Amino acid sequence: HETPPKPIIPKGLMKNSNVLDIEGLEMARQMCLQEFELCKAINPRELLARSWKREDLLISSPNLLKMIDRFNQFSSWVSYSV
């Protein structure tokens, strides 16, 4: 097992920072950690029979919806930053 690389913490990171202020390696690492947590929480039943399209989607697919929401938030952040 290799030891993971040391975190690359940007100097002066502020709330209004954009995607270009963060090292690519660190961005990839943080994205993977967050996405993994969301992905592992998804129950396989949430993916069956298009349960995310049902009226009770908040009950039938809550973790899948969280992952979709996270993707949409990140996409918006990147497009805003660019």
Side-chain angles (χ1 to χ4, degrees), residues 31-58:
M31 287 174 57
C32 286
L33 290 170
Q34 291 176 4
E35 297 301 320
F36 175 73
E37 290 301 318
L38 290 170
C39 189
K40 78 176 186 177
I42 296 173
N43 185 311
R45 290 180 182 258
E46 294 183 50
L47 304 169
L48 299 174
R50 298 189 308 173
S51 61
W52 62 92
K53 292 193 169 214
R54 295 176 21 193
E55 286 184 24
D56 66 341
L57 64 114
L58 293 175

mmCIF file of all heavy atoms in Angstrom, residues 31-58:
data_model
loop_
_atom_site.group_PDB
_atom_site.id
_atom_site.type_symbol
_atom_site.label_atom_id
_atom_site.label_comp_id
_atom_site.label_asym_id
_atom_site.label_seq_id
_atom_site.Cartn_x
_atom_site.Cartn_y
_atom_site.Cartn_z
ATOM 1 N N MET A 31 -12.920 15.469 -4.353
ATOM 2 C CA MET A 31 -14.108 15.033 -5.084
ATOM 3 C C MET A 31 -14.336 13.538 -4.900
ATOM 4 O O MET A 31 -15.463 13.103 -4.673
ATOM 5 C CB MET A 31 -13.968 15.363 -6.571
ATOM 6 C CG MET A 31 -14.120 16.818 -6.885
ATOM 7 S SD MET A 31 -13.768 17.196 -8.615
ATOM 8 C CE MET A 31 -14.923 16.143 -9.468
ATOM 9 N N CYS A 32 -13.267 12.769 -4.999
ATOM 10 C CA CYS A 32 -13.394 11.311 -4.845
ATOM 11 C C CYS A 32 -13.883 10.946 -3.447
ATOM 12 O O CYS A 32 -14.745 10.080 -3.297
ATOM 13 C CB CYS A 32 -12.057 10.626 -5.121
ATOM 14 S SG CYS A 32 -11.624 10.579 -6.860
ATOM 15 N N LEU A 33 -13.355 11.597 -2.434
ATOM 16 C CA LEU A 33 -13.780 11.308 -1.062
ATOM 17 C C LEU A 33 -15.265 11.625 -0.868
ATOM 18 O O LEU A 33 -16.003 10.834 -0.282
ATOM 19 C CB LEU A 33 -12.939 12.106 -0.062
ATOM 20 C CG LEU A 33 -11.483 11.666 0.071
ATOM 21 C CD1 LEU A 33 -10.694 12.681 0.890
ATOM 22 C CD2 LEU A 33 -11.382 10.279 0.660
ATOM 23 N N GLN A 34 -15.699 12.759 -1.373
ATOM 24 C CA GLN A 34 -17.100 13.138 -1.213
ATOM 25 C C GLN A 34 -18.021 12.244 -2.035
ATOM 26 O O GLN A 34 -19.060 11.798 -1.545
ATOM 27 C CB GLN A 34 -17.291 14.599 -1.618
ATOM 28 C CG GLN A 34 -16.636 15.554 -0.652
ATOM 29 C CD GLN A 34 -16.730 16.988 -1.106
ATOM 30 O OE1 GLN A 34 -17.352 17.300 -2.113
ATOM 31 N NE2 GLN A 34 -16.107 17.884 -0.365
ATOM 32 N N GLU A 35 -17.648 11.989 -3.272
ATOM 33 C CA GLU A 35 -18.489 11.161 -4.136
ATOM 34 C C GLU A 35 -18.569 9.730 -3.613
ATOM 35 O O GLU A 35 -19.615 9.088 -3.699
ATOM 36 C CB GLU A 35 -17.969 11.166 -5.575
ATOM 37 C CG GLU A 35 -17.988 12.520 -6.240
ATOM 38 C CD GLU A 35 -19.365 13.147 -6.325
ATOM 39 O OE1 GLU A 35 -20.351 12.432 -6.590
ATOM 40 O OE2 GLU A 35 -19.448 14.374 -6.134
ATOM 41 N N PHE A 36 -17.470 9.216 -3.062
ATOM 42 C CA PHE A 36 -17.473 7.867 -2.521
ATOM 43 C C PHE A 36 -18.477 7.737 -1.384
ATOM 44 O O PHE A 36 -19.239 6.761 -1.318
ATOM 45 C CB PHE A 36 -16.077 7.468 -2.044
ATOM 46 C CG PHE A 36 -16.052 6.130 -1.372
ATOM 47 C CD1 PHE A 36 -16.188 4.967 -2.114
ATOM 48 C CD2 PHE A 36 -15.917 6.025 -0.001
ATOM 49 C CE1 PHE A 36 -16.177 3.723 -1.501
ATOM 50 C CE2 PHE A 36 -15.910 4.789 0.624
ATOM 51 C CZ PHE A 36 -16.041 3.635 -0.127
ATOM 52 N N GLU A 37 -18.498 8.712 -0.494
ATOM 53 C CA GLU A 37 -19.433 8.673 0.632
ATOM 54 C C GLU A 37 -20.883 8.673 0.137
ATOM 55 O O GLU A 37 -21.717 7.939 0.652
ATOM 56 C CB GLU A 37 -19.193 9.845 1.587
ATOM 57 C CG GLU A 37 -17.904 9.744 2.373
ATOM 58 C CD GLU A 37 -17.821 8.496 3.236
ATOM 59 O OE1 GLU A 37 -18.824 8.132 3.877
ATOM 60 O OE2 GLU A 37 -16.747 7.873 3.266
ATOM 61 N N LEU A 38 -21.160 9.488 -0.860
ATOM 62 C CA LEU A 38 -22.517 9.531 -1.413
ATOM 63 C C LEU A 38 -22.863 8.233 -2.128
ATOM 64 O O LEU A 38 -23.956 7.694 -1.969
ATOM 65 C CB LEU A 38 -22.654 10.708 -2.385
ATOM 66 C CG LEU A 38 -22.635 12.095 -1.761
ATOM 67 C CD1 LEU A 38 -22.541 13.154 -2.851
ATOM 68 C CD2 LEU A 38 -23.858 12.317 -0.904
ATOM 69 N N CYS A 39 -21.922 7.732 -2.897
ATOM 70 C CA CYS A 39 -22.159 6.526 -3.697
ATOM 71 C C CYS A 39 -22.376 5.295 -2.820
ATOM 72 O O CYS A 39 -23.288 4.502 -3.073
ATOM 73 C CB CYS A 39 -20.987 6.314 -4.641
ATOM 74 S SG CYS A 39 -21.267 5.029 -5.855
ATOM 75 N N LYS A 40 -21.567 5.141 -1.784
ATOM 76 C CA LYS A 40 -21.704 3.945 -0.951
ATOM 77 C C LYS A 40 -22.996 3.948 -0.135
ATOM 78 O O LYS A 40 -23.446 2.908 0.317
ATOM 79 C CB LYS A 40 -20.486 3.742 -0.059
ATOM 80 C CG LYS A 40 -20.414 4.603 1.157
ATOM 81 C CD LYS A 40 -19.210 4.239 2.000
ATOM 82 C CE LYS A 40 -19.229 5.000 3.301
ATOM 83 N NZ LYS A 40 -18.144 4.644 4.175
ATOM 84 N N ALA A 41 -23.621 5.119 0.009
ATOM 85 C CA ALA A 41 -24.880 5.202 0.753
ATOM 86 C C ALA A 41 -26.082 4.784 -0.092
ATOM 87 O O ALA A 41 -27.152 4.526 0.450
ATOM 88 C CB ALA A 41 -25.081 6.618 1.279
ATOM 89 N N ILE A 42 -25.912 4.706 -1.413
ATOM 90 C CA ILE A 42 -27.030 4.363 -2.290
ATOM 91 C C ILE A 42 -27.361 2.886 -2.146
ATOM 92 O O ILE A 42 -26.509 2.024 -2.318
ATOM 93 C CB ILE A 42 -26.709 4.698 -3.761
ATOM 94 C CG1 ILE A 42 -26.524 6.200 -3.929
ATOM 95 C CG2 ILE A 42 -27.821 4.190 -4.684
ATOM 96 C CD1 ILE A 42 -26.033 6.610 -5.298
ATOM 97 N N ASN A 43 -28.603 2.620 -1.826
ATOM 98 C CA ASN A 43 -29.091 1.250 -1.729
ATOM 99 C C ASN A 43 -29.410 0.767 -3.144
ATOM 100 O O ASN A 43 -30.014 1.500 -3.917
ATOM 101 C CB ASN A 43 -30.352 1.241 -0.858
ATOM 102 C CG ASN A 43 -30.862 -0.142 -0.586
ATOM 103 O OD1 ASN A 43 -31.022 -0.954 -1.486
ATOM 104 N ND2 ASN A 43 -31.129 -0.399 0.677
ATOM 105 N N PRO A 44 -29.026 -0.456 -3.498
ATOM 106 C CA PRO A 44 -29.323 -0.949 -4.853
ATOM 107 C C PRO A 44 -30.797 -0.818 -5.241
ATOM 108 O O PRO A 44 -31.112 -0.593 -6.402
ATOM 109 C CB PRO A 44 -28.892 -2.414 -4.798
ATOM 110 C CG PRO A 44 -27.825 -2.446 -3.767
ATOM 111 C CD PRO A 44 -28.238 -1.422 -2.742
ATOM 112 N N ARG A 45 -31.696 -0.903 -4.272
ATOM 113 C CA ARG A 45 -33.128 -0.755 -4.579
ATOM 114 C C ARG A 45 -33.470 0.631 -5.131
ATOM 115 O O ARG A 45 -34.465 0.802 -5.811
ATOM 116 C CB ARG A 45 -33.972 -1.026 -3.340
ATOM 117 C CG ARG A 45 -33.968 -2.475 -2.946
ATOM 118 C CD ARG A 45 -34.840 -2.674 -1.711
ATOM 119 N NE ARG A 45 -34.794 -4.053 -1.314
ATOM 120 C CZ ARG A 45 -35.761 -4.927 -1.574
ATOM 121 N NH1 ARG A 45 -36.838 -4.539 -2.195
ATOM 122 N NH2 ARG A 45 -35.639 -6.177 -1.183
ATOM 123 N N GLU A 46 -32.636 1.611 -4.795
ATOM 124 C CA GLU A 46 -32.881 2.959 -5.289
ATOM 125 C C GLU A 46 -32.684 3.045 -6.804
ATOM 126 O O GLU A 46 -33.135 4.001 -7.433
ATOM 127 C CB GLU A 46 -31.952 3.959 -4.602
ATOM 128 C CG GLU A 46 -32.214 4.106 -3.125
ATOM 129 C CD GLU A 46 -31.333 5.149 -2.482
ATOM 130 O OE1 GLU A 46 -31.260 6.278 -3.003
ATOM 131 O OE2 GLU A 46 -30.711 4.842 -1.450
ATOM 132 N N LEU A 47 -32.001 2.076 -7.370
ATOM 133 C CA LEU A 47 -31.689 2.087 -8.797
ATOM 134 C C LEU A 47 -32.624 1.203 -9.616
ATOM 135 O O LEU A 47 -32.566 1.209 -10.842
ATOM 136 C CB LEU A 47 -30.242 1.621 -9.013
ATOM 137 C CG LEU A 47 -29.179 2.423 -8.255
ATOM 138 C CD1 LEU A 47 -27.841 1.729 -8.332
ATOM 139 C CD2 LEU A 47 -29.101 3.829 -8.800
ATOM 140 N N LEU A 48 -33.466 0.431 -8.948
ATOM 141 C CA LEU A 48 -34.332 -0.505 -9.647
ATOM 142 C C LEU A 48 -35.653 0.134 -10.078
ATOM 143 O O LEU A 48 -36.203 0.974 -9.374
ATOM 144 C CB LEU A 48 -34.630 -1.714 -8.751
ATOM 145 C CG LEU A 48 -33.406 -2.537 -8.336
ATOM 146 C CD1 LEU A 48 -33.822 -3.608 -7.353
ATOM 147 C CD2 LEU A 48 -32.736 -3.147 -9.547
ATOM 148 N N ALA A 49 -36.154 -0.301 -11.189
ATOM 149 C CA ALA A 49 -37.486 0.081 -11.677
ATOM 150 C C ALA A 49 -37.693 1.597 -11.700
ATOM 151 O O ALA A 49 -38.766 2.087 -11.398
ATOM 152 C CB ALA A 49 -38.572 -0.605 -10.854
ATOM 153 N N ARG A 50 -36.643 2.317 -12.009
ATOM 154 C CA ARG A 50 -36.705 3.783 -12.084
ATOM 155 C C ARG A 50 -37.378 4.398 -10.856
ATOM 156 O O ARG A 50 -38.223 5.284 -10.951
ATOM 157 C CB ARG A 50 -37.412 4.212 -13.362
ATOM 158 C CG ARG A 50 -36.665 3.761 -14.589
ATOM 159 C CD ARG A 50 -37.186 4.334 -15.857
ATOM 160 N NE ARG A 50 -38.620 4.153 -16.010
ATOM 161 C CZ ARG A 50 -39.312 4.689 -16.992
ATOM 162 N NH1 ARG A 50 -38.720 5.414 -17.893
ATOM 163 N NH2 ARG A 50 -40.615 4.491 -17.083
ATOM 164 N N SER A 51 -36.984 3.927 -9.692
ATOM 165 C CA SER A 51 -37.623 4.397 -8.455
ATOM 166 C C SER A 51 -37.415 5.892 -8.227
ATOM 167 O O SER A 51 -38.176 6.512 -7.493
ATOM 168 C CB SER A 51 -37.115 3.599 -7.255
ATOM 169 O OG SER A 51 -35.729 3.764 -7.107
ATOM 170 N N TRP A 52 -36.407 6.495 -8.853
ATOM 171 C CA TRP A 52 -36.176 7.921 -8.709
ATOM 172 C C TRP A 52 -37.217 8.747 -9.471
ATOM 173 O O TRP A 52 -37.281 9.955 -9.328
ATOM 174 C CB TRP A 52 -34.774 8.307 -9.165
ATOM 175 C CG TRP A 52 -34.521 8.026 -10.612
ATOM 176 C CD1 TRP A 52 -34.715 8.884 -11.655
ATOM 177 C CD2 TRP A 52 -34.038 6.814 -11.174
ATOM 178 N NE1 TRP A 52 -34.384 8.274 -12.832
ATOM 179 C CE2 TRP A 52 -33.953 6.993 -12.578
ATOM 180 C CE3 TRP A 52 -33.666 5.586 -10.651
ATOM 181 C CZ2 TRP A 52 -33.530 6.007 -13.441
ATOM 182 C CZ3 TRP A 52 -33.225 4.600 -11.522
ATOM 183 C CH2 TRP A 52 -33.157 4.809 -12.885
ATOM 184 N N LYS A 53 -38.050 8.086 -10.273
ATOM 185 C CA LYS A 53 -39.095 8.793 -11.012
ATOM 186 C C LYS A 53 -40.472 8.647 -10.365
ATOM 187 O O LYS A 53 -41.444 9.201 -10.856
ATOM 188 C CB LYS A 53 -39.151 8.291 -12.459
ATOM 189 C CG LYS A 53 -37.931 8.680 -13.251
ATOM 190 C CD LYS A 53 -38.154 8.450 -14.713
ATOM 191 C CE LYS A 53 -37.038 9.105 -15.474
ATOM 192 N NZ LYS A 53 -37.482 9.627 -16.747
ATOM 193 N N ARG A 54 -40.538 7.907 -9.282
ATOM 194 C CA ARG A 54 -41.820 7.704 -8.611
ATOM 195 C C ARG A 54 -42.223 8.952 -7.842
ATOM 196 O O ARG A 54 -41.397 9.820 -7.551
ATOM 197 C CB ARG A 54 -41.730 6.514 -7.672
ATOM 198 C CG ARG A 54 -41.512 5.223 -8.442
ATOM 199 C CD ARG A 54 -41.316 4.001 -7.615
ATOM 200 N NE ARG A 54 -41.797 4.041 -6.247
ATOM 201 C CZ ARG A 54 -41.477 3.147 -5.342
ATOM 202 N NH1 ARG A 54 -40.661 2.152 -5.651
ATOM 203 N NH2 ARG A 54 -41.944 3.223 -4.129
ATOM 204 N N GLU A 55 -43.506 9.016 -7.499
ATOM 205 C CA GLU A 55 -43.999 10.170 -6.741
ATOM 206 C C GLU A 55 -43.352 10.262 -5.362
ATOM 207 O O GLU A 55 -43.134 11.353 -4.850
ATOM 208 C CB GLU A 55 -45.516 10.104 -6.605
ATOM 209 C CG GLU A 55 -46.235 10.450 -7.883
ATOM 210 C CD GLU A 55 -47.745 10.483 -7.695
ATOM 211 O OE1 GLU A 55 -48.212 10.684 -6.561
ATOM 212 O OE2 GLU A 55 -48.439 10.304 -8.696
ATOM 213 N N ASP A 56 -43.041 9.120 -4.788
ATOM 214 C CA ASP A 56 -42.432 9.113 -3.450
ATOM 215 C C ASP A 56 -40.907 9.031 -3.545
ATOM 216 O O ASP A 56 -40.267 8.408 -2.723
ATOM 217 C CB ASP A 56 -42.994 7.972 -2.606
ATOM 218 C CG ASP A 56 -42.617 6.598 -3.149
ATOM 219 O OD1 ASP A 56 -42.236 6.508 -4.332
ATOM 220 O OD2 ASP A 56 -42.713 5.618 -2.392
ATOM 221 N N LEU A 57 -40.337 9.702 -4.526
ATOM 222 C CA LEU A 57 -38.899 9.606 -4.765
ATOM 223 C C LEU A 57 -38.056 10.024 -3.570
ATOM 224 O O LEU A 57 -36.971 9.494 -3.381
ATOM 225 C CB LEU A 57 -38.489 10.397 -6.003
ATOM 226 C CG LEU A 57 -38.684 11.898 -5.973
ATOM 227 C CD1 LEU A 57 -37.321 12.564 -6.002
ATOM 228 C CD2 LEU A 57 -39.463 12.306 -7.189
ATOM 229 N N LEU A 58 -38.549 10.932 -2.745
ATOM 230 C CA LEU A 58 -37.784 11.314 -1.555
ATOM 231 C C LEU A 58 -37.667 10.152 -0.575
ATOM 232 O O LEU A 58 -36.724 10.096 0.209
ATOM 233 C CB LEU A 58 -38.438 12.515 -0.870
ATOM 234 C CG LEU A 58 -38.390 13.822 -1.662
ATOM 235 C CD1 LEU A 58 -39.177 14.910 -0.936
ATOM 236 C CD2 LEU A 58 -36.967 14.255 -1.896
#
